[in-house]
Amino acid sequence: MRRTRSVSITVLALGAVLGMAAGCGPVESNFTENPAPLSNRICYTDADCTGNACCGLGTNPTHVQDGPNCSNVRCTNDCPVNGLDCGRCLVICRDSRCEAACTN
């Protein structure tokens, strides 16, 4: 029984050393700034949040009650570089506020 315990501790120590040696390097913070939210309303789900313009052309996240009414809008394939929904950002509800989760 003692031998099993010493082997387990040795394996655990070896795993910890190898994990630290092969671990992640420093995280680079070269991400661009996320667009500032335009609304201070409380959100409960991601569906409570939207962009500040229709068809993915918005540049800032906002609450749906403060966002545009896009029910009668016909969208084109335009996609601005800094647009929210054109692949760069997702509008989400985080910590009860609408925010944008963006990539480079």
Side-chain angles (χ1 to χ4, degrees):
M1 184 90 166
R2 286 185 142 223
R3 182 179 173 142
T4 304
R5 182 175 287 176
S6 66
V7 171
S8 297
I9 292 172
T10 304
V11 170
L12 180 63
L14 180 62
V17 170
L18 290 175
M20 284 191 268
C24 297
V27 176
E28 295 181 24
S29 59
N30 60 353
F31 292 110
T32 58
E33 289 290 320
N34 287 353
L38 298 178
S39 175
N40 202 26
R41 291 184 194 262
I42 294 174
C43 62
Y44 298 98
T45 67
D46 291 347
D48 294 338
C49 303
T50 188
N52 62 331
C54 300
C55 303
L57 301 177
T59 54
N60 294 81
T62 190
H63 195 277
V64 292
Q65 292 179 353
D66 298 324
N69 179 357
C70 300
S71 60
N72 293 323
V73 175
R74 175 176 264 183
C75 297
T76 62
N77 290 330
D78 294 338
C79 186
V81 175
N82 63 343
L84 291 172
D85 297 329
C86 292
R88 190 175 84 83
C89 301
L90 294 174
V91 179
I92 61 170
C93 179
R94 179 186 297 149
D95 298 329
S96 301
R97 297 289 181 252
C98 295
E99 294 186 12
C102 301
T103 61
N104 285 340

